[in-house]
Each structure stands twice: as C-alpha cells, then as structure tokens.
Amino acid sequence: MDPLVLARVQFALTAGSHFLFVALTLGLATLVALMQTRATLSGGAVHARMTRFWGQLYVVNYAVGIVTGLVMEFQFGLNWAGMSRLTGGVFGAPLALETIGAFFVESTFLGLWIFGWNRLNRWVHLGLIWVVTLTAYLSAYFVLVANGWMQRPVGYEVRDGAARLTDAGALLGNPTALLAFGHVLFGGLLTAGFFVAGVSGYHLLRRTAEVEFFRRSMRVGLVTVMAAVIPVVVVGGMQYQYLQPTKTGGDDAAAAVADFTARFGPGDYMAPGVARAGEAVMTGLWSLMLLLAVVALVKVWWGRWLVRGRVFHVVMVCAVPLPYVAMLAGWVFREVGRQPWMVYGVLRTRDALSPGVGSGTIAVSFAAFTALFAVLVGVNAWLLARVARRGPGGAVLGASPPVAPSSPAVSATF
Amino acid sequence: MVSLAVVLLAVFAGGYLVLAGADVGVGMLLPWLGRGQRERRVVIASFAPFFLGNEVWLVVSAGLVAGAFPGLEHRLLADLYPVAGVLLFGWVVRDMGLWLRGRVDAAGWRAVCDGAVVAGSWALALAWAALLGSVLGGGGLNAGSVLGLPLAVLFAWHGAGFARLRLSGDAAVRAARGRGRFGVSGLVLVAVLLVAGVRVPWSQVVAQGGGLSLTAVSAAVLLPLLGASQALVWRTFWGRVDSPSYL
C-alpha cells in the first residue's frame, strides 16, 4: 500500500483517539477541580464523594490520553521527517514549550494528586488539581499553536532550505491557534457536561440508591452544557475568517490555486470533499446539542424534575456520544481541509513523509499501533462504563489507606 | 545557546535514565521480586507514585529535540525506525499494564497486566540499549544496534538497586540479591548517555533562528520549578512500602 496513505491514516487514528480522551480530560478536570473546591470549602461529604467518583473516571480516561499523546509526539519524527527537516526549527518550538512548560508539571502534579490523597494537607491537595487543570489547558494551547501554524504559517522565514522563527509573538498569538484553543476549551466542557449528565441519567433511570448524589451531578452536567454550548459555536464561527481559500472553495480559491501551481507545479490544490462533510456533521450535531441545552434550561431549576422523567434520562444517556462525534468531525473539517498541505502553502504532505523509510516498515508500524490502540480504546471505554455503572460506592481513588496485609478482613483488589 | 541546549538535553535525558530507568528495571524484575499477585502489586507500589513524574523527563527530552535539534529528531526516530517503534510500543504496553492492573478485581486481568508490565519493560529497556548502541556506533542502524543490547541489563540492575531501598520484608531481601547500588548504576547510565552524546554532530542538527533560543531559554528558566515539583514528589512518597497503592 502507498506509505503516504498509511502514514496519514495512522496519524489520523492516533490524533483522533488521542483527542477523544483529551476532550473529556480537559472538561472533566475543570469540573472535578470545582467539585473539590466546593468540598474543601464546605466540608460536605457529598461533595467529597463527588470529587472521588468523577475524579476516578477522570484518571481512568487520562491514562489513554497520555499514551496516545506519546505516540503522536514521536510520530512526527518517525513518519514525517520531511517536516522536521524543513519546518522543525519553527514547528518544534511550541511542542518543546508544551512538554517543558505544561506537560511536565501536569503529569508530576497529577501523580501527587492521585497518590497523595489523605497524605497531603487538604488545601495543598486542592491546589494540586487546579495546577493539573490549568497546565492541561496550557498544554492544549501549545499543541494548538503548533497546529495553528500548520494551518496559517506566520513569524518565520525560509533560508538555506530550512524555516527559522523570526517572530515568536506572531507564532504564539496566531489567531488560528488562539481561536482553536477557545473552541477546544468549550468543546471539552461540552463533552464533560454531557458525560456527567449521561452517567447521572443512567443512575437516576435505574433508581439506584444515590439519588441525592446524581441529582446534584445531573445539575452540574446540565449547567456545564448550557454554559458551553453557545460560546463553542461563537468561537468556532470566528475561525471562518481565517479559513484557507482552498478549504471551502470561495472566491479566492482560484487565485490560491494559480499561486500554488506557479510555485509548486500543477496539482490538485482543492481540499477533498470529506472536509465539507465533516463541517456538516459538526454543525448538525451542534444543533441537536443546542436543543438538549434548551430542554436542560427548563429542567435544571427544579430538583424533582431532574430526578423524574425517564424519557429525559434515556435521552441524556444517548447524548453522551454527540460532542465526541461532533469534535472528530470538526477535526476532519480542519485537517482534511488543509490538504494537500502539511504546512499550508509551505510544505506538501507528500514531501513531509520520511524519505528512506520503506513501505513495509510503515505497514508493520501501522498494523501494530492500530491494533494496540483499538484494544486500548475498547478496554478503556469498557472500563469507563464499568466504573460509571458501579457508582460512587466503587470509587477506589482517594479511598482510605488499605488495611494492613495481615488483617483477615482484607478484601481490597490486588 | 547551542551549548546551553545540549546541557539541558543531557540533564533531561539523564534525569529520565536515572529516574525512569529505575522503574523500568523494577518492571523487568517483577516476576522475581514479587511472588504472587498481591506481592507484585506491592512491588509496583514501590515506584507507582513516581512513574508519572519519571516518564515526563523523556517527554521533555523529546520536546527539546523537536524544538532545539530538529535534525536529531529524524536521526533518532526515522533512521532508527524499528528501534524507536519497539521503544514506543513497549512504553505504551507497559504504561497500560500499570494503569489498568488495579482497576478490575480478577486474577486473569491482573495476570495479563503483569505480563504487559514485564514484557513492556523489557521491550523498553532493550530498545533503549539498541538506541544507545546505535548512537555509539555512529548513528543509523549499525552493528552497535545489536551489540548494545546487553546494556538493557543496566536497567534491571538499576531497578534492583531502587527496589532494595523501597521494598520491605522478603521482596527487599530478593531485591538485595541483585547487588544493586542505586547511585552507582545511575552514574553508569548517565556515563553511557554522555559517551553517546559526544558522538552526535550537534552543530549539524541544531535549529536555526529563534526556535532554538525560545526552547532553550524557557527550559533553563523553568528547570528550577520542574526540579522543585519533583522534589515535592520524592519528599512526599519516600520511605519503605509494604502495602498496595492506587495502581
């Protein structure tokens, strides 16, 4: 098979599965941090339990986000060496800043948060989850600076066959990065809102014992959905002024194609049609989510209305995938719409492929990592559902220290 | 600026080998250190609070390479594709084994996760050995890629040195049989890294323009903060372990 196709599909699958988990990580970390703040301030038992239950789901979800992110970071160097050769001097900087300025602290403090439960001062422990949340956002920002530069390269010059950064401010303040960051931020909150509401709906539907717990959680989820559903579309819409002309085929498309043909020779410079399909799916699903947010606006004021209404609960359970599908479709619109360019107007995707890496090597790597990720995504989706179904009683995160091993009453998992 | 970036890369890559090298080594020795599934969970608890904070040293090293030495990125990854692929694959398998092990209470589940931790740790150590051997041999796939493989034993030895400091009871006795000295094996790992580093033509692989300064200066400024956050982890969790943790 064509190594270019394999490398592209591999990247799409890696980035896609990475983003599925990242979106929930961003939004859920924020909600868990707010829950823990409330628990720390009020000392209320229900808030502490909410922190542990939703925190447990956050941590299970986070693990897959990390490992897919690792593979994504290394895939640039493995499959796309042409990119590091020509544009590495610019594109590498935000990736470096992401690891140094955000991910290092995020991961270190998350370890402290998970394992330091009941060991650290509760205010310090609260501070940790906020640092984890803010560095997660910072991480998303830097990654989108790198991606925004691929969409709209700024602040650089090409000299001696390599791009060099000339204006760090232009790179870091690139509107295609800033607006995408806002879009992802509210998209993450929307994902977490529907996730929390869906899990709560499941428990309320089943009439489990935790009515108070899930009534409160349902309200948190619905308020988050209502708060995020309008900003996500506003920031999303603001990005249209920076869309590449070849993405949507506007008036400037012909001029852009003529320019590219003059500089890079003849070729198909219009984006594939699937990009527009991605746009349609994203906006269609958003309308559906807006409809649900309006229903939520009516329901959220009365606790009894949240506990009752079986149709409403079923709808909220079914709505959990909506933001996920919408976001993947949005990425298809953004990334497929950039084709045939790796860095728009600077480096073609096929010129970015690692030279000298045989198609057999890429095929083996493709098969191995695709199989691995399929298992990981499957196992983790199952595990998330399992932890969610078991409810707050089953949360292991932040449980009191295990009983001494000699005690006969031990029933902890090991 | 180039020297600063090289020193920073040495600090982060060295930090990775010394810190994460220990938890990789313990993972390699898991079947020997822990008899039975409960004891194995305690062995994992010996490095559990550290492992998240350990692997980030490699992530930052990769970030530094991308930002400051883009020419090195494809020398280490694309030119050593099979080695880097195994390294990445082993890393993911191992991490998932660790993350998932404690999540389901079933003997079969734990056995599969233990297998993933052990196999992933060996794959990771062998890939590192091949990678260091390749760089020592002059870059690209060469005789050093195979001759370097015994270097993987260094990780196991380093892990034994760490485990004897952290474990208690029978497991600590078994760890002590490895005759590991955490400080000594750490120094040996760093020495191998430095010798390999001398073989890299730094001036040919460095980034031109502002990307290099932005990367190197940010890393230098943030290094004390990163060091402090790690120190907090070690201060909080240091001591002997005798009970399971979250993992």
Side-chain angles (χ1 to χ4, degrees):
Chain A
M1 236 186 128
D2 184 8
L4 177 63
V5 173
L6 283 179
R8 280 186 62 194
V9 174
Q10 181 169 25
F11 196 87
L13 289 177
T14 311
S17 47
H18 179 58
F19 196 75
L20 283 180
F21 293 89
V22 167
L24 185 61
T25 293
L26 286 172
L28 201 51
T30 317
L31 298 186
V32 170
L34 288 169
M35 288 171 190
Q36 190 170 350
T37 307
R38 181 118 191 241
T40 311
L41 288 174
S42 72
V46 65
H47 298 113
R49 291 180 75 225
M50 281 170 75
T51 310
R52 284 183 46 213
F53 174 68
W54 297 107
Q56 169 95 64
L57 285 164
Y58 161 70
V59 170
V60 169
N61 178 71
Y62 186 87
V64 189
I66 287 196
V67 294
T68 49
L70 297 176
V71 176
M72 199 167 88
E73 185 184 353
F74 283 82
Q75 223 171 75
F76 289 120
L78 279 170
N79 287 349
W80 305 103
M83 183 160 180
S84 71
R85 272 177 218 274
L86 178 68
T87 57
V90 182
F91 179 77
L95 292 185
L97 292 177
E98 191 269 333
T99 62
I100 303 159
F103 181 70
F104 191 103
V105 176
E106 180 189 357
S107 212
T108 306
F109 276 47
L110 181 65
L112 267 170
W113 187 71
I114 294 173
F115 298 100
W117 222 298
N118 305 323
R119 291 179 78 140
L120 291 160
N121 172 291
R122 65 197 178 102
W123 293 98
V124 173
H125 195 246
L126 174 64
L128 293 173
I129 189 67
W130 276 109
V131 173
V132 170
T133 304
L134 296 177
T135 45
Y137 280 118
L138 198 57
S139 197
Y141 162 72
F142 282 124
V143 171
L144 289 167
V145 166
N147 178 266
W149 191 78
M150 292 162 73
Q151 304 288 339
R152 183 176 173 272
V154 288
Y156 73 102
E157 61 176 11
V158 178
R159 212 193 295 165
D160 309 328
R164 48 181 75 194
L165 181 65
T166 54
D167 186 349
L171 174 74
L172 297 174
N174 195 349
T176 49
L178 295 176
L179 292 172
F181 173 65
H183 196 46
V184 162
L185 188 156
F186 289 111
L189 284 172
L190 200 56
T191 309
F194 274 109
F195 181 82
V196 171
V199 173
S200 305
Y202 173 85
H203 282 272
L204 294 171
L205 182 67
R206 284 299 181 90
R207 302 261 194 275
T208 48
E210 303 279 354
V211 176
E212 161 78 357
F213 185 100
F214 285 109
R215 183 183 58 76
R216 285 173 181 276
S217 298
M218 175 63 91
R219 176 170 285 160
V220 168
L222 293 182
V223 167
T224 310
V225 166
M226 292 187 306
V229 74
I230 296 296
V232 79
V233 82
V234 170
V235 189
M238 285 165 74
Q239 296 182 90
Y240 274 81
Q241 57 186 305
Y242 298 100
L243 278 195
Q244 298 92 343
T246 50
K247 184 175 277 182
T248 47
D251 298 339
D252 307 328
V257 169
D259 172 48
F260 293 152
T261 309
R263 282 162 53 209
F264 290 87
D268 185 5
Y269 291 105
M270 292 305 292
V274 67
R276 298 305 296 269
E279 182 193 20
V281 171
M282 172 181 72
T283 47
L285 291 180
W286 177 82
S287 313
L288 213 53
M289 290 188 274
L290 179 68
L291 194 67
L292 292 174
V294 172
V295 176
L297 190 62
V298 178
K299 279 240 167 202
V300 79
W301 306 103
W302 294 277
R304 278 184 303 137
W305 283 26
L306 294 180
V307 175
R308 292 183 198 154
R310 303 181 73 81
V311 176
F312 170 66
H313 295 152
V314 172
V315 168
M316 290 321 288
V317 172
C318 296
V320 170
L322 291 180
Y324 286 107
V325 180
M327 278 188 297
L328 285 187
W331 277 110
V332 167
F333 179 40
R334 186 174 170 93
E335 301 300 294
V336 177
R338 193 189 62 228
Q339 301 304 324
W341 299 98
M342 183 66 132
V343 180
Y344 194 75
V346 176
L347 175 67
R348 281 179 300 189
T349 308
R350 66 178 140 101
D351 297 331
L353 196 66
S354 296
V357 176
S359 54
T361 315
I362 291 192
V364 170
S365 147
F366 177 84
F369 279 102
T370 304
L372 181 63
F373 282 174
V375 171
L376 285 189
V377 171
V379 167
N380 260 270
W382 171 75
L383 204 55
L384 279 172
R386 188 172 184 269
V387 173
R389 218 170 43 233
R390 294 200 159 185
V396 184
L397 184 73
S400 305
V403 196
S406 54
S407 160
V410 149
S411 63
T413 59
F414 50 77
Chain B
M1 200 52 78
V2 180
S3 329
L4 174 67
V6 173
V7 170
L8 285 166
L9 183 57
V11 168
F12 281 100
Y16 171 78
L17 288 179
V18 172
L19 298 172
D23 68 58
V24 172
V26 176
M28 294 164 80
L29 299 176
L30 189 60
W32 293 279
L33 291 177
R35 306 280 161 83
Q37 291 189 327
R38 188 187 183 283
E39 212 175 50
R40 281 200 282 279
R41 190 170 189 195
V42 176
V43 172
I44 289 173
S46 74
F47 63 81
F50 305 111
F51 109 96
L52 258 179
N54 287 347
E55 61 187 22
V56 295
W57 292 81
L58 178 58
V59 178
V60 171
S61 304
L64 279 173
V65 168
F69 306 105
L72 188 60
E73 197 177 356
H74 55 82
R75 280 171 196 248
L76 290 180
L77 298 174
D79 294 355
L80 299 175
Y81 203 115
V83 175
V86 170
L87 193 153
L88 211 46
F89 197 87
W91 190 0
V92 172
V93 167
R94 170 179 193 275
D95 273 21
M96 288 326 297
L98 289 171
W99 279 111
L100 295 175
R101 190 188 191 279
R103 301 287 66 80
V104 175
D105 187 12
W109 176 273
R110 289 190 291 268
V112 169
C113 290
D114 283 342
V117 171
V118 177
S121 300
W122 276 94
L124 193 52
L126 286 166
W128 266 107
L131 188 132
L132 289 167
S134 308
V135 177
L136 286 168
L141 289 173
N142 58 53
S145 317
V146 177
L147 293 176
L149 286 177
L151 287 173
V153 177
L154 274 179
F155 287 87
W157 180 45
H158 191 50
F162 177 81
R164 70 186 290 187
L165 295 177
R166 285 281 290 168
L167 291 170
S168 51
D170 293 346
V173 174
R174 286 194 288 272
R177 282 193 211 132
R179 307 206 174 282
R181 285 279 180 277
F182 185 69
V184 178
S185 48
L187 282 176
V188 173
L189 281 167
V190 170
V192 175
L193 177 76
L194 294 180
V195 175
V198 171
R199 305 275 296 172
V200 175
W202 295 102
S203 59
Q204 290 173 28
V205 299
V206 75
Q208 302 298 323
L212 171 67
S213 333
L214 185 60
T215 303
V217 171
S218 314
V221 169
L222 287 170
L223 187 58
L225 176 76
L226 304 185
S229 70
Q230 292 264 316
L232 183 60
V233 174
W234 284 74
R235 212 189 73 134
T236 307
F237 300 112
W238 191 251
R240 290 193 186 273
V241 292
D242 52 13
S243 58
S245 72
Y246 173 77
L247 291 188

